[in-house]
Amino acid sequence: MIERIRTRVTEILGIRYPILQAGMIWASGYKLAVACAEAEILGTIGSAGMKPDLLRSQIQKARALTKKRIAVNIPLLRGDAAELLDVALSEGIDVIVTSAGNPVLMAPRIKTAAATWIHVVPSVKHGRKAQDAGVDIVVGEGFEAGGHNGVDEITTLALIPQLVDALQVPVCAAGGIADGRGFLAAMALGAEGVSIGTRFAATMESSSHQNYKEAIVGSPDSGTMLFAKKIAPVRAIINTFVRRVREAEARCVTREELVEVYGRHASRRGILEGDLEEGELEAGQSSGLIRDVVPAAEVVRRFVAEYEVGLETLERLK
């Protein structure tokens, strides 16, 4: 197997392979972050479902298990995003991944701390704003991805080369990537790494419910849907909850009415508690490629092995 894949991303982050484990609500606790870090990629604690005290505890547990670099993901739309950032930095986290909001708001604090900064964007416009704010790496996320997505619905295949052409900082690709073939394809588009969510959500170390993991494994190619566009577009596995929200959208209800139908804590019910019908099972279109729940280290091994096979196949086509 390839010993190392060198890009600007691996040099900036000090990792062996340019693979970033995404920060996912309810699925990316300290166990997954540690397992990924020990597999020589970037492991990330996702703070989206955490209060500051829980985040601190998660970081401390990770630190007790690995000396490898660990990142923390912070959705900027959270009201306590600044507090979460302070917790991460005070606990010695030196890689911050931000998403879902204006990166300018956190720039002074992150730059003062001299942390490596990664920001997730859904479009070239947002990529330029992130670069101007001073980020070190931009993750371009196509709308194939699970969870919350950009309103422009730009696919990974179209987004990544445009970001690469527009930016000077390195770009990682996210959305629709669940194996080494997608990894290689992203690199062929000019990406210098990949950020992987759904495949790592369905691992043994993921903090999500076993029902949710099995729902990912059982999802076909058409098993997810983008919905709740009047609130914030989100992709999830189709179930009773998703159909009810989509039916409300089809009736052209107001945003306020849609919020009422959508309710609260749906992602917790689905991902953490395992309610397969009334919970929001956030997952990407790559679910159709995922056929088992395995350790995170095995996911990394497969990614690299399949990447190598893909390279050899392309070499034979010359």
Side-chain angles (χ1 to χ4, degrees):
M1 192 168 76
I2 296 175
E3 180 65 21
R4 181 181 295 273
I5 301 173
R6 294 184 184 275
T7 69
R8 284 188 292 171
V9 168
T10 60
E11 297 305 304
I12 291 170
L13 297 175
I15 53 180
R16 187 179 299 274
Y17 304 114
I19 302 172
L20 286 56
Q21 169 246 312
M24 302 163 285
I25 190 168
W26 312 119
S28 50
Y30 78 94
K31 291 180 181 179
L32 179 57
V34 167
C36 289
E38 288 294 309
E40 304 285 356
I41 68 169
L42 183 67
T44 304
I45 295 173
S47 71
M50 300 180 186
K51 297 292 186 183
D53 286 346
L54 178 56
L55 175 59
R56 188 181 302 278
S57 172
Q58 290 279 304
I59 294 170
Q60 291 174 353
K61 288 177 180 178
R63 286 280 184 235
L65 293 173
T66 185
K67 296 186 182 300
K68 303 284 188 182
R69 215 171 183 188
I70 294 286
V72 167
N73 170 255
I74 301 172
L76 297 179
L77 290 178
R78 279 192 56 147
D80 59 353
E83 189 175 355
L84 291 169
L85 176 61
D86 284 341
V87 167
L89 295 175
S90 69
E91 289 295 327
I93 295 296
D94 63 354
V95 182
I96 300 296
V97 184
T98 54
S99 58
N102 185 354
V104 174
L105 300 176
M106 295 297 173
R109 182 73 177 94
I110 296 173
K111 303 308 284 186
T112 298
T116 298
W117 186 11
I118 304 168
H119 187 67
V120 183
V121 304
S123 70
V124 171
K125 177 182 72 175
H126 290 92
R128 288 196 176 107
K129 285 183 178 179
Q131 178 174 266
D132 291 345
V135 303
D136 299 290
I137 299 168
V138 164
V139 173
E141 184 178 81
F143 92 119
E144 302 97 322
H148 292 282
N149 276 291
V151 296
D152 297 313
E153 300 186 10
I154 306 172
T155 66
T156 304
L157 186 66
L159 175 61
I160 297 307
Q162 293 183 71
L163 280 171
V164 169
D165 289 347
L167 305 181
Q168 285 73 55
V169 298
V171 172
C172 288
I177 303 168
D179 60 21
R181 295 171 295 180
F183 180 16
L184 180 59
M187 302 293 269
L189 293 174
E192 296 186 53
V194 291
S195 179
I196 308 300
T198 306
R199 174 63 270 198
F200 282 119
T203 56
M204 292 180 179
E205 297 89 350
S206 167
S207 50
S208 59
H209 197 282
Q210 185 65 22
N211 289 351
Y212 167 70
K213 298 177 188 182
E214 292 174 2
I216 291 173
V217 171
S219 180
D221 57 349
S222 59
T224 69
M225 180 178 288
L226 200 68
F227 71 111
K229 295 182 182 182
K230 284 185 178 178
I231 305 172
V234 61
R235 183 175 295 282
I237 293 172
I238 301 167
N239 62 1
T240 300
F241 167 74
V242 170
R243 291 190 187 95
R244 184 165 59 249
V245 177
R246 285 283 293 194
E247 287 166 2
E249 290 178 299
R251 297 196 307 272
C252 298
V253 300
T254 65
R255 187 181 189 280
E256 292 72 22
E257 290 170 326
L258 189 63
V259 167
E260 186 174 344
V261 173
Y262 189 86
R264 300 182 63 190
H265 310 303
S267 66
R268 180 187 179 97
R269 282 198 302 275
I271 300 170
L272 188 64
E273 298 172 2
D275 187 334
L276 298 185
E277 287 305 321
E278 292 298 333
E280 183 177 81
L281 308 171
E282 296 182 11
Q285 289 182 327
S286 63
S287 298
L289 291 165
I290 299 169
R291 300 180 180 90
D292 52 12
V293 177
V294 296
E298 174 62 12
V299 171
V300 175
R301 188 200 67 77
R302 291 180 186 179
F303 260 72
V304 178
E306 291 161 358
Y307 177 93
E308 185 173 21
V309 169
L311 281 178
E312 293 170 353
T313 299
L314 292 177
E315 185 65 26
R316 290 196 297 271
L317 293 176
K318 282 186 176 181

